[in-house]
Amino acid sequence: MGWNETPYQPGDGEHRASAKTADPIRDLESLSPLLLNPDLRSVVADSFSSEKWDIVEEIIAAAERLRDTTRWDDEELLRRLGCRVRSFDDFRAVELDRLQNCSAFLSLVNELTDVVGPVDQQREVVRVCVDLLEDRTAASAVDLRLLLVLEADQWSAAESMRLGEISRAARLVRSLAGATRSTERRTGAHPFAGAAAVHLSTPRIDLYVAREVAVLGVDVDDRITAHLGSCSACRDAVQTRAVQLRSMT
Ligand SMILES: [Zn+2]
């Protein structure tokens, strides 16, 4: 079989994994030899269709950007993304729509790491995104993006992320995914029911009150300030906590 041919799969069409159900981590894993060995890229480029190779290059660029952001080396990044290093031949079989899904996933992770503050938060974003895919909370990169931006009660997981509340954002995504699965649609129900009306966690409020801007990240700190201007629940929580902290010292 030629390198560019799609392998035959029984039940083609109906049961074949599409981008909707594809696992971008496994597909990235298949590309790991290309990520780890730049010299290999020019050797194998001709074995891909140009359309496919364009996406492979996008994936490589996105992975390199994420490596620089997180300050992990290539191997550590792949490990943190949940990839085992695979053999030389696997990557040629990855289909175009799966490459696109893989590229979309890395782009999303890059966008989200740009939003949060210091490197420990950026690494946390990588971990959370991988977890949400690996535990099938999100079926694809597109699904994950949708779950992040979907608003319920005028709030979204992406908004939590922007305030540096990364694990809370993941909880919201899980809650939303569970709700949409049971209702089979992306709106209605109360996916954030049980989520606190206060959007900031106590540890983050404490950091904010203590003016630990470097820990929060300058942009996150600015966003929290802006958020407090428009959200009375969080403003009250911060004021209450400031009083508590003052009385403790
Ligand atoms: Zn709030």
Side-chain angles (χ1 to χ4, degrees):
M1 182 184 296
W3 285 351
N4 297 329
E5 287 170 44
T6 306
Y8 170 77
Q9 303 204 347
D12 201 31
E14 205 173 333
H15 301 294
R16 187 172 61 82
S18 71
K20 276 209 161 97
T21 56
D23 180 347
I25 302 297
R26 295 286 79 77
D27 293 332
L28 184 64
E29 187 173 278
S30 299
L31 294 172
S32 58
L34 293 175
L35 295 167
L36 292 169
N37 186 355
D39 293 341
L40 187 58
R41 296 170 199 169
S42 57
V43 176
V44 302
D46 288 347
S47 65
F48 288 84
S49 67
S50 62
E51 196 180 12
K52 263 180 141 182
W53 186 249
D54 285 349
I55 314 267
V56 170
E57 288 196 310
E58 270 177 32
I59 292 168
I60 291 170
E64 287 179 343
R65 190 174 151 216
L66 193 57
R67 175 199 63 198
D68 294 344
T69 301
T70 56
R71 298 181 216 162
W72 285 320
D73 62 25
D74 287 316
E75 281 187 36
E76 182 68 6
L77 174 66
L78 286 171
R79 200 171 68 74
R80 299 283 182 160
L81 285 168
C83 298
R84 296 151 300 196
V85 175
R86 291 268 286 269
S87 72
F88 189 83
D89 284 332
D90 290 318
F91 56 84
R92 298 185 188 104
V94 181
E95 290 164 39
L96 182 66
D97 57 349
R98 299 183 67 127
L99 290 175
Q100 286 165 335
N101 183 42
C102 186
S103 179
F105 174 66
L106 288 177
S107 296
L108 177 61
V109 177
N110 274 322
E111 281 174 45
L112 294 172
T113 55
D114 283 348
V115 164
V116 298
V119 69
D120 59 330
Q121 287 185 32
Q122 293 170 315
R123 291 175 169 187
E124 172 78 359
V125 164
V126 176
R127 189 183 66 73
V128 157
C129 289
V130 170
D131 284 353
L132 289 169
L133 279 179
E134 297 275 69
D135 70 9
R136 308 307 287 163
T137 298
S140 67
V142 172
D143 196 36
L144 180 55
R145 184 182 289 275
L146 184 66
L147 289 166
L148 280 162
V149 301
L150 188 61
E151 284 200 9
D153 297 336
Q154 290 155 3
W155 194 251
S156 69
E159 289 298 318
S160 285
M161 197 80 83
R162 288 170 59 77
L163 297 180
E165 296 287 355
I166 298 160
S167 53
R168 180 174 290 205
R171 280 202 300 280
L172 293 180
V173 166
R174 287 203 170 86
S175 149
L176 193 52
T180 53
R181 229 163 257 153
S182 59
T183 58
E184 288 297 309
R185 58 202 175 103
R186 287 296 189 212
T187 54
H190 293 287
F192 292 169
V198 176
H199 303 109
L200 293 164
S201 64
T202 304
R204 197 152 311 272
I205 289 174
D206 288 359
L207 289 170
Y208 183 81
V209 170
R211 302 310 302 134
E212 295 280 359
V213 177
V215 181
L216 289 168
V218 175
D219 291 344
V220 169
D221 182 67
D222 284 348
R223 281 188 219 113
I224 292 175
T225 303
H227 179 75
L228 295 179
S230 62
C231 179
S232 59
C234 286
R235 194 164 58 237
D236 290 349
V238 167
Q239 281 165 358
T240 303
R241 191 65 187 150
V243 170
Q244 276 176 1
L245 289 172
R246 265 203 301 279
S247 70
M248 284 160 63
T249 52

